[in-house]
Amino acid sequence: MAIARPLSERVEQIVRATPVHDIHTHLYDPAFGSLLLWGIDDLLVYHYLVSEGFRQFDIPYDSFWSASRTQQADWIWKALFNDHSPLSEACRGILTVLQSLGLEPRHSNLTQLRSWFAAQKPADYIDRILQLANVASVCMTNSPFDDEERPLWDRGFSRDPRFRAALRIDPLLVDWPRTSARLRTWGYDVSSDRSPRTAAEVRRFLADWTRRLNAGYCMVSLPPDFSYPADTDTAWLMREAVLPHGRELGQAFALMLGVKRAVNPALRLAGDGVGRSNLDALQNLCAANPDNRFLVTVLSRESQHETVVLARKFRNLHPFGCWWFTNTPQLIEEITTLRLELLGTSFTPQHSDARVLDQLLYKWDHSRSVLSRCLTRKYTDLAASGWLVRDEEIQRDVTELLGGGFDRFVRS
Ligand code: FIX
Ligand code: ZN
C-alpha cells in the first residue's frame, strides 16, 4: 500500500509548481532596454539595502550618491555582508538569488560575481529568471509622467506578452497644480477650476493612456492622511475623473495606502516611510461606488485587520500583497493567515514589487515558503474537523491565490 505523503509536502510541491502572475512590480518590458535592471550591482543598490547600508556606514549622503554604482555596491557589500551577518530579509534575498543561480558568495568575491553576470545574454537571462522563479507574467508600473518611459510608449514597440501594463497616476492625484500644467502642454484642456470640462479632459487623458498601454488596471499610492470624500483636488479628481473612467472602461483601481514619501529625502528612493491609514476613506469609496472595483494594499501592519474586515463588507474590494515593509516572512505569515481566516481564498496574498529582475527569484521563493506553511496549517485544521483536502482542491486554491482570483476580479 502506498504511503500517504505528508500534507506539508503536497502543499509545498503544488505551491512551488504553480506559475504565479506577479501583479505588481517595477520591472519593464525588455524593449525598455536599460530600464529593466538586473545583475549583482543593481541587486546590491536596491533601495531596501541602501537604507540598511546607511545604518552601518558613516559615508555622507552626498558622497554616496555621487559615487559610481560599483562603488556603492562595494560599500553595501562590505557593510552588510562582510562586516555583519546578512540577517535582514533584503540581505537574505541576495543570497537566495545567488544560490538559485548556482553561485557561491562565500567562495567568490564581487569581481567574480560581476564577471558571471556580465557574461549573461539579456534575452536568455530574462527567460531563465522567469522560468526559475516560475513566474508566468509580471505586471509593470507604467507612468505617463515618467520622462524615461513615456517616449517609448509614444513611439510604440512590440510588446513581450509576459510583461503586462498598469497605469500609474500618482502625480495626477497628489500633485495636481504641477500635473495640470503638464497635461495642458500635452494638449488636454484642463485648468484649476474643478469644472466639468477639466474632469472630461482628465478622463480623456486616462482613456488615451489606458489604450496606449493596454493597462490591466489603474493605480496610485497615497499617504496615510488620504481622506474621501474631502474638499481636496485628490478627492475631486477621483470622484469626477478616475472613478467614472474606471466604470466606463471596466477598469479596476488599485490603491496603495499608507506611504509617507520622503521622510528622509537625503536617502532618495530609500527615504520613504509608513503611517497608519485612515481607512474610513476606503470604506467610503467602496460604499459610494459599488460599480467600481478596488484593489488595495496597505503599508502599515496596524491597518491590515481593518482592511480585511472591509473586504468582508464590500465585494468590490480585493486585498493584495504584503507591501514593502510588510514583505518580511513573519509579517507575510501573520497577514496571510489573517486573510485566509477571514476571507478564504478571495484575496491575492502577494506581489513581488521587484525592481530588479533577479529579485523575482528570492521574493517568490520566500513568499512561496510562507504561503505553503500558512495553507498547510489551515488544511490541517480542516482535517481535524473531518475535511480531508484533495490535491486537486489544493491546486484550485493555489491557482486562485497566485493570480487566478486577481485576474477574475480585474476582468469582471
Ligand atoms: O509605490 C510603490 O509602488 C512602491 O512599491 C515603491 O515606491 C517602493 O519604492 C518600493 O519599491 C517598495 O517595494
Ligand atoms: Zn511598488
Side-chain angles (χ1 to χ4, degrees):
M1 202 177 80
I3 302 168
R5 279 197 306 147
L7 182 61
S8 57
E9 247 177 54
R10 290 163 54 207
V11 172
E12 174 120 22
Q13 196 272 326
I14 290 171
V15 169
R16 294 214 171 266
T18 305
V20 63
H21 292 275
D22 192 343
I23 61 169
H24 171 58
T25 74
H26 297 265
L27 302 176
Y28 288 94
D29 186 301
F32 283 79
S34 60
L35 285 190
L36 174 58
L37 306 178
W38 58 278
I40 188 64
D41 288 318
D42 282 320
L43 286 167
L44 284 169
V45 302
Y46 183 37
H47 68 77
Y48 290 26
L49 290 168
V50 168
S51 63
E52 292 169 28
F54 271 103
R55 299 194 54 73
Q56 301 294 2
F57 45 60
D58 54 10
I59 302 161
Y61 293 116
D62 287 348
S63 313
F64 183 83
W65 294 119
S66 56
S68 67
R69 194 185 54 161
T70 315
Q71 173 67 79
Q72 294 171 346
D74 283 343
W75 281 326
I76 289 176
W77 180 258
K78 179 174 179 326
L80 300 182
F81 293 81
N82 290 341
D83 296 349
H84 303 88
S85 291
L87 292 167
S88 77
E89 174 63 6
C91 285
R92 181 169 76 106
I94 300 267
L95 303 179
T96 305
V97 170
L98 296 177
Q99 186 179 51
S100 312
L101 294 168
L103 300 168
E104 296 193 16
R106 281 289 196 193
H107 303 124
S108 40
N109 56 37
L110 267 191
T111 312
Q112 290 163 321
L113 293 174
R114 283 181 178 125
S115 315
W116 186 90
F117 281 98
Q120 306 308 308
K121 291 202 182 68
D124 298 344
Y125 191 67
I126 293 166
D127 292 349
R128 180 169 179 204
I129 297 294
L130 292 174
Q131 267 160 25
L132 271 178
N134 201 9
V135 170
S137 70
V138 298
C139 194
M140 306 179 278
T141 298
N142 303 109
S143 171
F145 305 100
D146 183 316
D147 293 333
E148 286 195 281
E149 67 166 309
R150 194 182 54 259
L152 214 82
W153 291 112
D154 285 340
R155 269 203 311 279
F157 59 96
S158 155
R159 296 279 297 266
D160 181 328
R162 295 169 299 181
F163 290 74
R164 300 179 178 179
L167 174 59
R168 183 75 179 240
I169 57 168
D170 291 26
L172 179 74
L173 291 180
V174 301
D175 191 9
W176 176 237
R178 239 183 324 181
T179 303
S180 52
R182 293 191 86 186
L183 290 193
R184 276 195 297 277
T185 66
W186 296 338
Y188 296 94
D189 180 23
V190 296
S191 60
S192 54
D193 56 2
R194 296 191 190 169
S195 66
R197 170 75 184 158
T198 294
E201 283 294 275
V202 173
R203 284 176 65 174
R204 184 164 72 85
F205 166 78
L206 293 169
D208 287 349
W209 276 94
T210 294
R211 293 197 182 99
R212 189 163 306 159
L213 304 175
N214 189 20
Y217 60 94
C218 179
M219 70 189 309
V220 68
S221 72
L222 293 165
D225 60 1
F226 160 66
S227 301
Y228 191 93
D231 182 18
T232 58
D233 288 334
T234 306
W236 180 80
L237 284 158
M238 263 190 203
R239 194 186 65 234
E240 300 298 329
V242 178
L243 296 172
H245 157 81
R247 288 192 291 271
E248 190 186 334
L249 273 76
Q251 188 183 58
F253 186 34
L255 298 154
M256 306 180 81
L257 303 176
V259 58
K260 285 188 188 167
R261 295 289 178 195
V263 167
N264 180 359
L267 278 173
R268 299 195 182 176
L269 201 52
D272 298 339
V274 57
R276 291 183 202 191
S277 294
N278 166 11
L279 291 177
D280 289 348
L282 183 62
Q283 177 181 321
N284 295 336
L285 276 169
C286 293
N289 300 284
D291 296 330
N292 283 93
R293 275 161 288 125
F294 299 94
L295 301 155
V296 72
T297 195
V298 282
L299 196 49
S300 87
R301 180 187 189 180
E302 292 73 13
S303 304
Q304 303 300 327
H305 184 251
E306 210 180 331
T307 304
V308 170
V309 173
L310 277 178
R312 290 175 66 87
K313 307 299 134 193
F314 296 102
R315 61 181 169 177
N316 57 340
L317 179 60
H318 185 95
F320 74 94
C322 296
W323 183 23
W324 202 343
F325 310 118
T326 61
N327 191 350
T328 59
Q330 189 193 350
L331 292 184
I332 301 170
E333 191 149 344
E334 174 180 305
I335 295 166
T336 304
T337 302
L338 173 71
R339 289 168 169 174
L340 284 170
E341 290 180 348
L342 282 170
L343 299 174
T345 57
S346 64
F347 69 99
T348 299
Q350 193 56 305
H351 64 268
S352 76
D353 235 312
R355 281 182 179 266
V356 184
L357 178 75
D358 334 42
Q359 288 170 342
L360 293 173
L361 295 172
Y362 94 78
K363 301 227 185 203
W364 283 111
D365 177 82
H366 296 187
S367 288
R368 278 188 165 105
S369 295
V370 181
L371 178 61
S372 302
R373 277 205 298 280
C374 296
L375 283 173
T376 301
R377 257 200 318 268
K378 295 324 300 171
Y379 291 136
T380 304
D381 290 347
L382 294 188
S385 302
W387 184 276
L388 300 179
V389 71
R390 303 187 185 107
D391 278 2
E392 59 271 25
E393 292 165 338
I394 301 175
Q395 182 63 71
R396 175 200 58 202
D397 297 347
V398 171
T399 302
E400 184 88 352
L401 291 167
L402 292 184
F406 181 91
D407 222 41
R408 228 186 24 256
F409 183 81
V410 295
R411 283 170 205 274
S412 61

